[in-house]
Amino acid sequence: HYKIDQEFRRSILINAGLSLAGFFVTVKMIPVASRYVLRRSLFGYDINKKGTPQGTVKVPESLGIVVGIVFLVLAIVFQYFNFTADSSWLVEYNAALASICFMILLGFVDDVLDVPWRVKLVLPSFATLPLLMAYAGHTTIIIPKPLIPYVGLEVLDLGWVYILYMALLAVFCTNSINIHAGLNGLEVGQTVVIAFAIMIHNIMQIGASSDPEYQQAHAFSIYLVQPLLATSLALFSYNWYPSSVFVGDTYTVFAGMTMAVVGILGHFSETLLIFFIPQVLNFLLSVPQLFGFVKCPRHRLPRFNPETGLLTGTQDGTLVNFYLRVFGPKSEKSLCIHLLIVQAIGCCFCFLLRHLLAGWYK
Ligand code: UD1
Ligand code: MG
């Protein structure tokens, strides 16, 4: 047991070192890539600054492509340094990377071609195929203790339903990050908060368990979440208010897919969904517009008042608008900070819930 601990620690530390290098490379590459995307007219106008001089500036789009590429390089190189790997680990790890890579490609296609909304929704289900086809893990769920008498089983094998669940999880994670957006810093900010929570969760679980397979599953997650966190922080420094770059759908779907993949292969997808509480709320508020019961405009953003410099909530069904309607007009920057704090509170709630329900799964 002691030896395994040592090996995990070594692999995690090397992964941290690689991630740190990735942070600096991303910081250096974003301004370079910005010049190139502008040359190809890949830019957006900052909508919440309409009516101000800043609102007429062309902000380079899709800088998530830098994060995606640096992330993939780190994740591929890391395999060489993973001392705890066995062959089945490598198959799943590479299938996960293929899914993430496919998702980055489709996200970039969306940024360049502006794919219709309905098509955009289902793209992630194609991107998960490499993972689903290579998945050799279990397809069972553990029944919570209080429910065992009613179900009559301790574990339930879901078979292909479980595979479908994994595909749906990827569709949800990618899209839900993409539509909780439209404020400078919000797309990356929410990812940074969730990725940080996932890291803490993994470290706690590795420490609490002595089962090598369970530890391996959580270490797997750390190996992918650490580079995600590091490269996202680099992007955050440019995307924070006032944004000098936009992240693009390349970033939102990449981040969502990476977190879905670690949730699936780390076997903590229920916990992951609780980290996504604000995204779930935003999705529920969005249902009428997403499914076409109410007209869905291209952008569902708050209204900017150039006189006060504050944002006011509109009738569009988003968490951003709902928050503004409940708590009153706010500046873009403080609204983003508020929503990131809400995200962090959601994560703390998840840890509390897990603590309270711990006995249910033992
Ligand atoms: C999703 C949302 C849309 C929201 C958009 C903002 C749904 C169904 N779609 O669309 O309502 O308006 O994200 O990203 O909920 N932009 C800003 N400030 C920002 C970030 C983006 O003004 O901080 C604008 C820029 O013009 C940028 C554009 O949004 O070019 C990017 O939009 P994109 O990510 O392509 O929109 P969607 O993901 O399709
Ligand atoms: Mg988007």
Side-chain angles (χ1 to χ4, degrees):
H1 181 195
Y2 179 73
K3 182 151 178 296
I4 291 171
D5 264 3
Q6 286 290 311
E7 282 177 347
F8 276 128
R9 193 159 301 153
R10 209 162 126 220
S11 296
I12 290 170
L13 282 178
I14 290 176
N15 187 272
L18 281 173
S19 301
L20 188 66
F23 170 83
F24 289 112
V25 172
T26 311
V27 166
K28 268 260 169 287
M29 288 311 294
I30 285 177
V32 178
S34 296
R35 289 201 294 279
Y36 280 85
V37 293
L38 281 181
R39 217 185 282 168
R40 282 295 191 162
S41 300
L42 210 53
F43 62 82
Y45 291 104
D46 204 333
I47 301 172
N48 294 321
K49 302 190 183 51
K50 231 174 223 164
T52 69
Q54 230 181 61
T56 58
V57 176
K58 293 175 176 172
V59 182
E61 257 288 9
S62 296
L63 272 301
I65 193 70
V66 176
V67 170
I69 293 171
V70 173
F71 172 92
L72 283 175
V73 172
L74 296 177
I76 292 166
V77 169
F78 171 71
Q79 294 172 80
Y80 182 75
F81 299 102
N82 181 5
F83 307 110
T84 63
D86 55 32
S87 60
S88 75
W89 184 91
L90 282 173
V91 171
E92 284 195 339
Y93 186 77
N94 280 287
L97 291 189
S99 282
I100 293 169
C101 185
F102 196 1
M103 194 71 261
I104 295 171
L105 170 67
L106 292 175
F108 197 62
V109 166
D110 176 27
D111 279 333
V112 175
L113 304 183
D114 242 327
V115 175
W117 175 239
R118 267 163 230 292
V119 178
K120 200 181 210 148
L121 262 174
V122 297
L123 289 182
S125 52
F126 298 115
T128 42
L129 283 175
L131 182 62
L132 302 188
M133 296 299 117
Y135 186 75
H138 63 71
T139 53
T140 52
I141 52 168
I142 300 169
I143 306 293
K145 240 187 193 165
L147 296 181
I148 291 175
Y150 303 101
V151 183
L153 293 164
E154 286 183 13
V155 287
L156 183 64
D157 192 353
L158 294 179
W160 65 268
V161 174
Y162 193 86
I163 306 283
L164 183 67
Y165 165 74
M166 296 196 289
L168 290 177
L169 188 74
V171 172
F172 176 76
C173 288
T174 48
N175 284 297
S176 69
I177 296 223
N178 188 40
I179 66 174
H180 189 35
L183 299 178
N184 289 182
L186 185 58
E187 284 138 311
V188 202
Q190 61 186 307
T191 305
V192 166
V193 174
I194 301 172
F196 190 67
I198 295 177
M199 279 274 298
I200 295 175
H201 174 63
N202 294 146
I203 292 170
M204 277 170 37
Q205 294 303 310
I206 291 181
S209 166
S210 55
D211 171 5
E213 209 174 307
Y214 186 80
Q215 291 182 321
Q216 179 74 273
H218 283 281
F220 182 103
S221 167
I222 292 183
Y223 301 150
L224 293 179
V225 165
Q226 237 168 201
L228 172 69
L229 189 57
T231 52
S232 294
L233 279 171
L235 180 58
F236 199 39
S237 69
Y238 291 95
N239 184 242
W240 182 243
Y241 183 95
S243 295
S244 53
V245 309
F246 285 145
V247 303
D249 291 347
T250 311
Y251 178 77
T252 52
V253 294
F254 152 74
M257 181 57 99
T258 306
M259 292 192 280
V261 158
V262 302
I264 292 168
L265 295 180
H267 306 301
F268 59 91
S269 62
E270 341 76 78
T271 304
L272 184 73
L273 282 176
I274 310 178
F275 287 146
F276 271 69
I277 286 179
Q279 284 71 18
V280 173
L281 287 177
N282 185 52
F283 171 73
L284 294 176
L285 288 168
S286 301
V287 163
Q289 288 188 319
L290 290 188
F291 295 107
F293 306 126
V294 181
K295 195 181 160 306
C296 185
R298 172 66 183 85
H299 288 286
R300 305 187 300 152
L301 298 179
R303 194 170 304 109
F304 176 67
N305 182 344
E307 252 116 69
T308 58
L310 300 181
L311 299 174
T312 329
T314 64
Q315 291 308 314
D316 288 319
T318 63
L319 189 60
V320 171
N321 283 315
F322 178 77
Y323 196 89
L324 285 172
R325 287 208 302 277
V326 174
F327 296 104
K330 292 207 167 14
S331 71
E332 187 176 7
K333 186 176 174 182
S334 83
L335 178 59
C336 186
I337 295 174
H338 274 244
L339 289 169
L340 293 182
I341 292 174
V342 167
Q343 188 84 51
I345 293 172
C347 294
C348 294
F349 170 75
C350 178
F351 285 116
L352 181 71
L353 201 66
R354 276 195 63 96
H355 180 72
L356 293 176
L357 299 184
W360 283 33
Y361 289 99
K362 283 279 146 57

